[in-house]
């Protein structure tokens, strides 16, 4: 399988349109893409119509199924540094109401992602599963989180660490922004996967 590693400066069209165009270019039906990605056909249909915003993990599954690099859907900063300054955040450019800031370095064989997420009120991430581990730490606000059979409200200072093969999601049920520190393995954004 050859991976298309197209990388735009900024996504040229909404993610839903990118997904639909690539799926049709490949001659896939919604169900075929669902089977390849492990996501449901109704969810993909909603994403294609921009009625639902895929999480980073869902985008990774779609990227693999559509035989493109994750950078096909977003612009991941590549600073070449191991120090990140608050005044110059490495914002991941993606069509989402959630702001993603990459806190990890551009190591050649990066093993984990460290992402600061600013989650707006009312936002719900789709249910995901993938190989690896996830760690969530709430810096401010409040989030309702699930992982397997665990359902809990996380407030500032609360955290959870779990096997990401369990079904999991997060939602902001409040009227205030929540800030979440996410650490996950394996890396979705490792340098080796990025288009140069």
């Amino acid at each position: 399988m050859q991976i298309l590693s197209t990388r735009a400066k900024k996504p040229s069209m909404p993610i839903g349109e990118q997904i639909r165009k690539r799926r049709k270019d490949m001659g896939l039906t919604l169900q075929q893409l669902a089977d390849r990605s492990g996501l449901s056909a109704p969810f993909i249909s909603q994403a294609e119509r921009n009625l639902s915003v895929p999480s980073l993990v869902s985008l990774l599954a779609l990227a693999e199924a559509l035989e493109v690099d994750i950078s096909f859907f977003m612009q991941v900063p590549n600073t070449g540094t191991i120090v990140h300054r608050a005044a110059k955040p490495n914002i991941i450019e993606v069509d989402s109401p959630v702001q993603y800031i990459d806190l990890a370095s551009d190591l050649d064989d990066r093993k984990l992602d460290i992402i600061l997420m600013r989650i707006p009120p009312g936002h719900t991430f789709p249910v995901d599963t993938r190989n690896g581990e996830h760690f969530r730490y709430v810096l401010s606000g409040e989030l309702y989180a699930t992982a397997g059979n665990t359902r809990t409200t996380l407030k500032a200072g609360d955290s959870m660490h779990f096997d990401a093969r369990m079904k999991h999601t997060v939602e902001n049920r409040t009227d205030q922004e929540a800030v979440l520190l996410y650490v996950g393995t394996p890396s979705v954004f490792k340098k080796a996967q990025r288009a140069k």
Side-chain angles (χ1 to χ4, degrees), residues 69-143:
D69 188 87
I70 190 74
S71 62
F72 183 81
F73 297 115
M74 65 186 65
Q75 181 181 359
V76 181
N78 187 351
T79 62
T81 183
I82 62 170
V83 176
H84 299 283
R85 303 289 181 195
K88 296 174 84 178
N90 293 331
I91 297 172
I92 298 171
E93 299 289 341
V94 62
D95 182 23
S96 172
V98 176
Q99 182 184 51
Y100 298 96
I101 300 171
D102 189 2
L103 301 177
S105 300
D106 290 328
L107 301 176
D108 286 333
D109 193 23
R110 182 166 148 175
K111 303 283 191 276
L112 57 84
D113 290 324
I114 308 167
I115 309 286
L116 185 73
M117 299 180 192
R118 296 188 176 281
I119 305 166
H123 184 77
T124 301
F125 289 94
V127 175
D128 281 318
T129 62
R130 73 172 184 144
N131 289 328
E133 296 178 51
H134 282 192
F135 172 79
R136 300 171 178 157
Y137 180 85
V138 177
L139 294 166
S140 66
E142 181 177 304
L143 293 168

Side-chain angles (χ1 to χ4, degrees), residues 11-167:
S12 58
M13 64 177 81
I15 286 176
E17 292 175 34
Q18 292 177 324
I19 295 167
R20 181 185 299 122
K21 182 177 183 326
R22 180 66 181 157
R23 175 178 63 80
K24 289 187 174 191
D25 288 350
M26 293 179 71
L28 298 174
T29 65
L30 277 171
Q31 188 57 55
Q32 288 170 323
L33 180 55
D35 293 343
R36 284 175 151 221
S37 67
L39 302 170
S40 73
F43 170 72
I44 295 170
S45 174
Q46 287 184 335
E48 285 188 350
R49 292 177 289 139
N50 296 305
L51 300 176
S52 178
V53 179
S55 68
L56 291 179
V57 175
S58 295
L59 277 179
L60 177 63
L62 287 166
E64 289 175 358
L66 293 169
E67 299 175 8
V68 294
D69 188 87
I70 190 74
S71 62
F72 183 81
F73 297 115
M74 65 186 65
Q75 181 181 359
V76 181
N78 187 351
T79 62
T81 183
I82 62 170
V83 176
H84 299 283
R85 303 289 181 195
K88 296 174 84 178
N90 293 331
I91 297 172
I92 298 171
E93 299 289 341
V94 62
D95 182 23
S96 172
V98 176
Q99 182 184 51
Y100 298 96
I101 300 171
D102 189 2
L103 301 177
S105 300
D106 290 328
L107 301 176
D108 286 333
D109 193 23
R110 182 166 148 175
K111 303 283 191 276
L112 57 84
D113 290 324
I114 308 167
I115 309 286
L116 185 73
M117 299 180 192
R118 296 188 176 281
I119 305 166
H123 184 77
T124 301
F125 289 94
V127 175
D128 281 318
T129 62
R130 73 172 184 144
N131 289 328
E133 296 178 51
H134 282 192
F135 172 79
R136 300 171 178 157
Y137 180 85
V138 177
L139 294 166
S140 66
E142 181 177 304
L143 293 168
Y144 180 74
T146 64
N149 293 326
T150 301
R151 289 157 177 36
T152 188
T153 298
L154 299 174
K155 297 181 180 184
D158 293 342
S159 66
M160 63 191 307
H161 175 219
F162 56 93
D163 183 329
R165 292 176 295 183
M166 294 188 293
K167 290 183 178 181

